[in-house]
Amino acid sequence: EAGVVQSPRYKIIEKKQPVAFWCNPISGHNTLYWYLQNLGQGPELLIRYENEEAVDDSQLPKDRFSAERLKGVDSTLKIQPAELGDSAVYLCASSLNPAGKETQYFGPGTRLLVL
Amino acid sequence: GDSVTQMEGPVTLSEEAFLTINCTYTATGYPSLFWYVQYPGEGLQLLLKATKADDKGSNKGFEATYRKETTSFHLEKGSVQVSDSAVYFCALTSGSARQLTFGSGTQLTVLP
């Protein structure tokens, strides 16, 4: 079974430029998560989707970040414009149902460097 | 709100040494508890989990017991290997919050 797929794995951009990350969850997983992981810290949730609906986006900085999950499968996270402080690893995860006792499966992440 | 406190690293051990990584939590209700591992260059992988008090999660020689009275979920392994070198994250989910709340991670290096 294929795991969570993310692309690109690495991205280097200049500040004020836009950037987008793509995630394809495990087949059949209804719930998709985007996390932000700063260096030396644990991941923090940005947004959670159940099917195509964003059910928790309270920690997404909406002035510059946006996300979509068309058709309830793959998802795109966008930053526009990027700032130096956005340099981090962006992780995508999926679970069969909303996680409580459910296991979340993580992709390898996209490492973003903003210069 | 929910929080997880992990033993700070880095931790360096010799092969076959005993490992303990401490984890305590604060949460409302009855959280589910997890240990995730992140090998260099890879994504987070679930190592083990426990969903109710006194449950013991185990995998690959690692164990952790859900202790509600001490709000702890310490990770242990009797004999570590070089291949266990990674960053270990303690995490929880609690009733109303669906997302994982992570600790800050503990870097483990095992020397041959």
Side-chain angles (χ1 to χ4, degrees):
Chain A
E1 178 183 278
V4 176
V5 179
Q6 289 188 249
S7 68
R9 291 293 308 275
Y10 305 92
K11 189 74 176 179
I12 301 174
I13 61 172
E14 294 187 345
K15 62 181 180 182
K16 301 185 182 180
Q17 294 301 305
V19 64
F21 314 126
W22 177 81
C23 172
N24 188 267
I26 293 173
S27 177
H29 280 196
N30 299 321
T31 308
L32 183 147
Y33 312 77
W34 283 102
Y35 286 86
L36 167 68
Q37 185 178 18
N38 287 306
L39 187 65
Q41 299 182 24
E44 298 176 347
L45 182 74
L46 288 172
I47 188 168
R48 173 171 64 93
Y49 283 92
E50 291 179 19
N51 299 304
E52 65 276 8
E53 183 182 358
V55 295
D56 183 357
D57 64 355
S58 58
Q59 298 174 77
L60 187 73
K62 298 182 184 62
D63 57 335
R64 298 184 300 108
F65 286 66
S66 64
E68 60 183 11
R69 191 185 184 197
L70 299 176
K71 301 181 182 179
V73 182
D74 56 351
S75 176
T76 303
L77 177 69
K78 298 179 182 178
I79 308 175
Q80 182 170 11
E83 298 179 351
L84 295 176
D86 296 331
S87 296
V89 177
Y90 292 82
L91 295 169
C92 180
S94 69
S95 64
L96 190 59
N97 289 303
K101 301 177 182 180
E102 289 278 347
T103 297
Q104 292 186 32
Y105 296 88
F106 284 81
T110 296
R111 187 175 297 274
L112 173 67
L113 179 60
V114 182
L115 302 176
Chain B
D2 298 343
S3 67
V4 176
T5 301
Q6 267 185 257
M7 167 179 166
E8 291 194 12
V11 174
T12 302
L13 296 173
S14 296
E15 204 165 24
E16 300 184 3
F18 184 85
L19 169 70
T20 299
I21 301 178
N22 290 336
C23 171
T24 58
Y25 66 89
T26 301
T28 55
Y30 301 91
S32 293
L33 303 174
F34 305 82
W35 277 100
Y36 278 83
V37 59
Q38 190 170 35
Y39 297 103
E42 298 185 17
L44 287 159
Q45 302 174 25
L46 178 68
L47 181 59
L48 54 84
K49 69 179 184 181
T51 58
K52 62 182 187 294
D54 299 325
D55 269 2
K56 178 185 284 187
S58 61
N59 186 26
K60 299 181 180 179
F62 290 89
E63 294 184 339
T65 300
Y66 188 142
R67 301 288 189 197
K68 188 165 179 62
E69 63 276 12
T70 55
T71 61
S72 65
F73 193 54
H74 304 321
L75 182 68
E76 297 182 336
K77 187 174 186 182
S79 176
V80 294
Q81 305 301 311
V82 172
S83 57
D84 294 328
S85 298
V87 181
Y88 292 81
F89 291 92
C90 186
L92 66 81
T93 58
S94 66
S96 59
R98 303 291 191 174
Q99 76 267 22
L100 284 162
T101 298
F102 285 89
S104 57
T106 302
Q107 171 78 56
L108 170 67
T109 301
V110 180
L111 302 176

